[in-house]
Amino acid sequence: MKAFKTSLKSWLTGVLTLALLAPVALTLQSCTDLDEETFGVVTPDNFFQTPEEVLAGLAPVYAQLRAFHWSFWNISQHTSDETLVPTRGTDWDDSGRWRALHQHTWNPGDPVAEQDFNGAWVDAFTGVARANTVLANVEASSADIDKAGISAELRLLRAYYYYILLDFFGRVPIVTDPAVDEDNPPGNNTRAEVFNFVLTEVNEIRGSLPTKWDANNFGRVDQGVADALLARLYLNAEVFGGSVTAGGLQRGPAMWDRVVEAADRVLNSGNYSLAGDYFQNFRVNNHTSPEIIFATTFLAKGGLGLNFQMRTLHYNQIPQTPWNGFSTLAETFNSFDPVDKRTKFFLVGQMYAQPNEGCLGSECFSDTSSPPLTDRNGRPLIFTPEFFDPLGNRVTGNPINVDEASGVRVLKWEIDPARTGGDMGDDQPIFRLSEIYLSKAEALNELGRTAEAVDLVNAVRARSFDPPKSLNAGDFTQASFREQILQERKFELFWEATRRQDLIRHNKFNDAWEFKNASQPFKAVFPIPQIQLDANPSLSQNPGY
């Protein structure tokens, strides 16, 4: 199994990426040089002639998901109350980049902020462009291939890329043709139009997808992925189907019934079950988890691996010299129940030398029979929930500069013993079954069926508490359980790039939290990157910016 999985992952590395990019529109991706002639001879008449060639053509469309490991994850996480990157001495200041994200002080055209927003724009539109190009070639091919199935697969991937754009920027161009008129480039569609486009696409192609791929095709989209994406879209329908003005979010119609319908298709399919061990979803072999509906696949090879572990660990914790950056907030860490097994992914307290073997969270660096680790100044390496400056004073305002050990670290993904440098082979879940439980619970609560919603949340909590700590429906009103569900999603989906979206849906994204003041309500969407406005005069900036 592992050998075949490695083979599939290699297929997804996108070795034919350049071959498929020549026709792609430059107006949507001005920072990406797509005008390649080297492989210009690739056409539907001399390629896409066999199932193997079609699969090779899909590779770059899937491979683009790996790009979301950086800009997408960073701006999803660092704009929320889950993640903080303080300046540590001469490290991690980056001209205030991380402070701007956390404190919502970004401005359009600011080159510091632009690198993240434009990165996310280009990453997503590159996925769209690749899907459009391959889709056109598949549809033009005269080969005996499953055009309906392959086209559905590509359209679902394109819909997922558009979902990211919808979430981040709201008003983006809808482009389904690989050939775009550079003299008349597309302008912004409304957010509601983009939302309806994505919904229509997924609903139209769902029936042409496999019910579920076998284990040898882990990482490919199927009906379960379509339904999971629909559940998330419907859950956020008021946000995505509305608009963001200078005054903030103007909500569209709710679709709670549709959330329940999409969730039930996943829950009743018999194709998924909650993993007995929560952390099976984050091991190097997490492709074996019965809970993962869709994941981005990674390889323990240079440039192809997951690197969340490197972002959070101290420089001295493993030989590859991690980056000692990302941590969580004290108030967020303290919101977890100490007996919740999910707190295992936190690293806090004195760290001890760790053998070069697979582990995650508190399994690592906790062997008191090993030598205690020190920081680069020879002081004990003790991770603290609070932040302290280099002189030992607690920082309670803007964390301009803190010491090396401040901040609880999050080691949710296993350290891969087969890693190449900092590149690890753990896969990154995009949709898990537990999220489907929680999304259905939220919808049921909004429909006035709070007792049923409590039962679903308890089903997710059951594996994380021993003895069980079930919630009692009689203790909640609809309003108080709405707050509880937001908390439960944080506990279950922590550091999985869902928190920003949840906070927006619950009208809390612009609130103050640790190291952040209240922010302008129009920042529920990000600014259209200035470099894209300059490249395409048909685009206009989002209101408020």
Side-chain angles (χ1 to χ4, degrees):
M1 171 67 70
K2 181 65 176 177
F4 197 98
K5 178 174 179 257
T6 300
S7 175
L8 178 62
K9 283 187 171 187
S10 298
W11 167 70
L12 293 178
T13 59
V15 293
L16 294 176
T17 298
L18 291 177
L20 301 171
L21 293 182
V24 176
L26 293 173
T27 52
L28 298 180
Q29 306 172 77
S30 57
C31 286
T32 306
D33 182 7
L34 302 178
D35 192 13
E36 297 282 351
E37 297 297 334
T38 308
F39 296 94
V41 295
V42 174
T43 70
D45 294 328
N46 63 20
F47 199 67
F48 298 100
Q49 293 300 300
T50 67
E52 291 75 19
E53 289 178 344
V54 171
L55 290 177
L58 286 172
V61 189
Y62 276 100
Q64 186 59 21
L65 292 169
R66 289 193 182 125
F68 289 160
H69 185 220
W70 188 246
S71 290
F72 162 76
W73 191 91
N74 283 346
I75 60 180
S76 294
Q77 284 297 131
H78 295 294
T79 60
S80 81
D81 59 357
E82 287 189 350
T83 312
L84 183 71
V85 185
T87 300
R88 302 183 190 276
T90 59
D91 298 335
W92 290 105
D93 182 71
D94 297 333
S95 301
R97 172 185 185 178
W98 307 102
R99 288 194 299 277
L101 288 175
H102 185 76
Q103 297 173 343
H104 296 192
T105 57
W106 60 78
N107 293 299
D110 179 349
V112 174
E114 283 282 292
Q115 60 188 312
D116 292 302
F117 300 143
N118 192 60
W121 176 283
V122 170
D123 289 344
F125 266 120
T126 297
V128 169
R130 291 182 181 183
N132 284 343
T133 301
V134 181
L135 187 60
N137 279 277
V138 167
E139 291 177 346
S141 173
S142 59
D144 184 17
I145 56 176
D146 177 18
K147 286 190 179 183
I150 296 297
S151 295
E153 196 169 351
L154 288 162
R155 288 172 66 186
L156 181 53
L157 287 167
R158 182 177 64 187
Y160 179 75
Y161 289 122
Y162 260 114
Y163 149 75
I164 300 298
L165 292 162
L166 166 69
D167 182 21
F168 279 4
F169 302 104
R171 301 165 55 256
V172 298
I174 298 173
V175 180
T176 59
D177 191 325
V180 175
D181 183 357
E182 294 187 36
D183 294 326
N184 187 28
N188 310 69
N189 286 89
T190 67
R191 195 178 206 188
E193 288 171 341
V194 180
F195 178 52
N196 289 329
F197 166 74
V198 177
L199 283 181
T200 300
E201 283 286 285
V202 180
N203 280 307
E204 280 186 0
I205 55 86
R206 179 188 175 277
S208 297
L209 293 163
T211 303
K212 188 178 188 300
W213 287 107
D214 60 23
N216 290 337
N217 284 283
F218 178 83
R220 294 181 70 178
V221 295
D222 51 28
Q223 287 186 15
V225 177
D227 287 329
L229 178 55
L230 286 170
R232 195 179 284 180
L233 288 162
Y234 291 134
L235 184 72
N236 293 283
E238 289 180 295
V239 177
F240 293 161
S243 62
V244 177
T245 68
L249 177 64
Q250 311 301 314
R251 291 180 176 263
M255 296 186 175
W256 303 117
D257 286 326
R258 303 298 296 274
V259 178
V260 175
E261 292 171 5
D264 278 343
R265 287 197 296 269
V266 177
L267 294 170
N268 298 331
S269 68
N271 291 325
Y272 313 97
S273 60
L274 294 175
D277 177 7
Y278 174 83
F279 289 98
Q280 185 181 351
N281 296 300
F282 307 99
R283 299 283 183 185
V284 173
N285 66 345
N286 58 355
H287 63 284
T288 64
S289 171
E291 182 173 333
I292 294 179
I293 300 168
F294 187 40
T296 302
T297 62
F298 287 90
L299 283 169
K301 295 183 178 180
L304 300 176
L306 190 85
N307 63 27
F308 291 145
Q309 304 90 329
M310 298 294 287
R311 300 181 200 185
T312 196
L313 293 177
H314 184 271
Y315 315 106
N316 294 343
Q317 287 190 272
I318 59 175
Q320 289 73 27
T321 312
W323 310 339
N324 195 39
F326 299 2
S327 56
T328 192
L329 285 66
E331 64 183 26
T332 301
F333 168 73
N334 290 328
S335 70
F336 279 74
D337 188 326
V339 299
D340 187 336
K341 294 179 182 178
R342 291 169 293 196
T343 59
K344 173 181 173 179
F345 51 61
F346 291 124
L347 292 181
V348 63
Q350 174 68 56
M351 297 293 107
Y352 295 87
Q354 170 63 34
N356 188 21
E357 59 187 29
C359 65
L360 54 74
S362 59
E363 297 172 353
C364 308
F365 316 110
S366 59
D367 182 358
T368 57
S369 67
S370 298
L373 291 172
T374 58
D375 67 16
R376 293 185 298 184
N377 296 307
R379 298 172 298 195
L381 184 61
I382 301 173
F383 293 144
T384 59
E386 300 78 18
F387 291 82
F388 297 92
D389 68 24
L391 297 177
N393 302 306
R394 184 173 177 185
V395 177
T396 56
N398 192 336
I400 297 296
N401 202 333
V402 305
D403 67 14
E404 290 183 13
S406 285
V408 172
R409 310 308 167 87
V410 180
L411 189 57
K412 191 169 183 174
W413 279 263
E414 185 176 17
I415 298 175
D416 187 353
R419 62 189 177 274
T420 300
D423 288 285
M424 312 209 189
D426 324 52
D427 295 329
Q428 181 183 0
I430 295 175
F431 297 120
R432 294 194 289 116
L433 187 65
S434 60
E435 181 189 348
I436 302 300
Y437 274 89
L438 294 174
S439 295
K440 181 180 177 182
E442 185 170 339
L444 289 175
N445 186 59
E446 295 301 326
L447 292 168
R449 297 159 62 180
T450 300
E452 294 173 71
V454 172
D455 288 342
L456 288 170
V457 171
N458 281 333
V460 174
R461 287 170 57 93
R463 66 181 170 188
S464 296
F465 292 93
D466 186 17
K469 294 187 72 171
S470 297
L471 304 176
N472 184 350
D475 294 337
F476 295 98
T477 64
Q478 182 189 51
S480 65
F481 198 64
R482 183 180 298 126
E483 295 297 312
Q484 184 67 36
I485 287 174
L486 180 60
Q487 287 286 85
E488 295 293 336
R489 288 182 69 90
K490 175 178 62 177
F491 303 147
E492 177 66 21
L493 302 171
F494 190 79
W495 268 35
E496 294 182 55
T498 61
R499 182 66 171 171
R500 169 188 165 273
Q501 194 176 90
D502 290 346
L503 290 171
I504 291 172
R505 188 172 66 256
H506 285 262
N507 283 319
K508 295 181 182 295
F509 183 65
N510 302 109
D511 290 355
W513 56 67
E514 192 174 11
F515 302 120
K516 173 188 175 292
N517 297 321
S519 55
Q520 299 101 319
F522 61 83
K523 290 188 174 178
V525 292
F526 299 121
I528 306 295
Q530 187 61 46
I531 194 169
Q532 303 300 334
L533 296 172
D534 293 342
N536 180 357
S538 297
L539 292 175
S540 61
Q541 184 56 273
N542 279 327
Y545 291 107

